[in-house]
């Protein structure tokens, strides 16, 4: 069995072991995958120890994604842009590689739902690490324009400037939002905390899609807003979670698992809790 793991703090509720164990079974890969609680001050040591004990690769979740980025000897282009890493592996020389698959997972989930990105107007709410991590894969799909709106407007402006070479992207505050959008993505954790960003200036184009990168049992507050606004497609981040895992699995094993049955299983479990 080749060993993989996810490092985080906390890690107890991580779905990654379930997801990767299903992928291994489905593809017939001899892979084990477990969750490891790394001490807040001991991430690098925990990763080194895992490698010494035979670990082949790992996922990284909160709060270690930026530290993982700094630890890597080699980065994929999208990880360098993201400034964060969620997927690690060692090459034959023992050098540590880092990638981020979150954005690819988001785009895969949007495409699976039939959402078109090319030549569309996209609004992204938030300008933190989670949003930075998905911008390159979104811009690679060549939307007409990508607008970043954030509570702290300056942060959105700076983030937009970092990606301006990849397409038309502009940042500002919620009060600067103008026109209608074909896709609105919530990249703030606000709807989990019982509040929503100020969406009073957001208008959905006919047939628009909404996506909450967060998810929970039942609809998130953002999804409830999207439903009231008549969004045609209304998704939350569980699909992104499963599809980013599929991207990581493929990066390690060069085998693409089918994310759909695993997503169905997780959805059924969450709906049971709602
Ligand atoms: P993450 O890594 O999850 O993106 P982060 O880097 O701390 O976390 O970023 C959180 C994002 O959610 C930020 O864009 C934050 O807005 P600010 O930059 O103004 O702080 C946004 N956010 C958090 N709580 C919010 C709320 N209640 N309303 C609106 N935006 C919120």
């Amino acid at each position: 069995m080749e060993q993989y793991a996810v490092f985080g703090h906390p890690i107890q509720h991580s779905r990654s072991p379930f997801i990767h164990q299903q992928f291994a079974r489905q593809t017939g890969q001899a892979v084990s995958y477990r969750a490891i609680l790394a001490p807040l001050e001991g991430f690098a040591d925990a990763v080194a120890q895992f490698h010494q004990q035979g670990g082949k690769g790992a996922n990284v979740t909160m709060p270690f994604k930026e530290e993982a980025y700094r630890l890597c000897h080699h980065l994929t282009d999208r990880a360098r842009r993201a400034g964060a890493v969620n997927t690690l592996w060692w090459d034959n020389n023992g050098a540590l590689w880092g990638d981020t698959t979150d954005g690819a997972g988001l785009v895969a989930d949007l495409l699976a739902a039939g959402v078109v990105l090319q030549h569309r107007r996209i609004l992204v709410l938030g300008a933190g690490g989670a949003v930075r991590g998905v911008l390159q894969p979104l811009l690679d799909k060549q939307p007409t324009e990508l607008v970043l709106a954030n509570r702290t407007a300056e942060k959105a402006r700076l983030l937009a400037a970092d990606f301006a070479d990849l397409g038309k992207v502009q940042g500002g505050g919620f009060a600067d939002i103008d026109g209608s959008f074909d896709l609105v993505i919530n990249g703030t954790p606000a709807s989990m905390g019982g509040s929503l960003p100020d969406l009073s200036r957001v208008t959905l184009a006919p047939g628009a899609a909404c996506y909450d990168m967060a998810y929970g049992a039942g609809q998130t507050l953002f999804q409830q807003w999207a439903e009231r606004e008549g969004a045609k497609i209304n998704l939350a981040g569980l699909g992104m979670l499963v599809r980013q895992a599929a991207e990581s699995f493929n990066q390690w094993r060069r085998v693409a698992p089918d994310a759909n049955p695993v997503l169905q299983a997780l959805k059924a479990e969450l709906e049971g809790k709602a």
Side-chain angles (χ1 to χ4, degrees):
M1 287 277 216
E2 302 214 301
Q3 292 179 57
Y4 295 86
V6 57
F7 290 86
H9 190 122
I11 200 65
Q12 205 181 341
H13 297 293
S14 172
R15 305 282 183 179
S16 294
F18 172 79
I19 296 169
H20 282 280
Q21 285 155 14
Q22 295 294 313
F23 288 166
R25 200 153 69 185
Q26 191 194 90
T27 58
Q29 295 273 304
V31 157
S32 73
Y33 189 107
R34 64 196 160 102
I36 297 177
L37 177 74
L40 286 176
E41 301 300 324
F43 171 71
D45 287 346
V47 168
Q49 193 182 16
F50 177 67
H51 184 223
Q52 271 161 22
Q53 291 169 354
K56 296 282 176 204
N59 284 128
V60 181
T61 187
M62 284 205 319
F64 299 125
K65 288 183 181 184
E66 279 88 10
E67 193 177 344
Y69 167 87
R70 293 193 294 271
L71 211 59
C72 289
H73 305 111
H74 304 286
L75 295 162
T76 61
D77 186 39
R78 61 191 183 186
R80 194 171 293 113
R81 284 268 183 186
V85 150
N86 78 342
T87 306
L88 296 170
W89 68 95
W90 288 269
D91 67 17
N92 291 334
N93 302 320
L96 184 60
W97 283 78
D99 187 19
T100 181
T101 62
D102 289 330
L106 170 65
V107 167
D109 206 36
L110 288 165
L111 297 182
V115 178
V116 177
L117 301 171
Q118 193 180 25
H119 305 321
R120 297 296 193 273
R121 241 182 134 228
I122 303 178
L123 172 66
V124 179
L125 306 165
V131 168
R132 178 179 284 273
V134 301
L135 290 181
Q136 176 173 351
L138 286 172
L139 287 165
D140 282 349
K141 294 292 170 193
Q142 299 178 306
T144 313
E145 184 181 21
L146 195 152
V147 175
L148 294 170
N150 195 44
R151 183 173 58 185
T152 314
E154 186 57 16
K155 224 162 115 182
R157 280 188 209 109
L158 290 171
L159 186 57
D162 280 351
F163 287 82
D165 58 318
L166 296 183
K168 191 173 177 205
V169 45
Q170 59 175 21
F174 297 128
D176 301 318
I177 296 171
D178 208 12
S180 65
F181 295 90
D182 304 294
L183 171 62
V184 181
I185 298 171
N186 178 33
T188 76
S191 77
M192 303 311 291
S195 70
L196 268 181
D198 175 11
L199 301 173
S200 56
R201 293 189 55 81
V202 182
T203 308
L204 299 185
C210 289
Y211 197 103
D212 197 339
M213 282 166 59
Y215 66 89
Q219 284 198 332
T220 66
L221 283 178
F222 176 75
Q223 284 187 292
Q224 290 169 28
W225 170 86
E227 188 159 312
R228 287 196 300 274
E229 295 295 311
K232 187 166 166 239
I233 296 174
N234 189 357
L235 299 164
L238 193 64
M240 176 176 169
L241 173 76
V242 178
R243 296 185 203 281
Q244 63 77 26
E247 290 275 334
S248 294
F249 192 91
N250 193 9
Q251 183 68 271
W252 295 323
R253 310 297 304 176
R254 296 290 161 204
V255 178
D258 181 359
N260 294 317
V262 182
L263 178 55
Q264 289 315 320
L266 279 176
K267 253 188 200 153
E269 192 192 311
L270 262 183
E271 273 159 21
K273 285 186 188 162

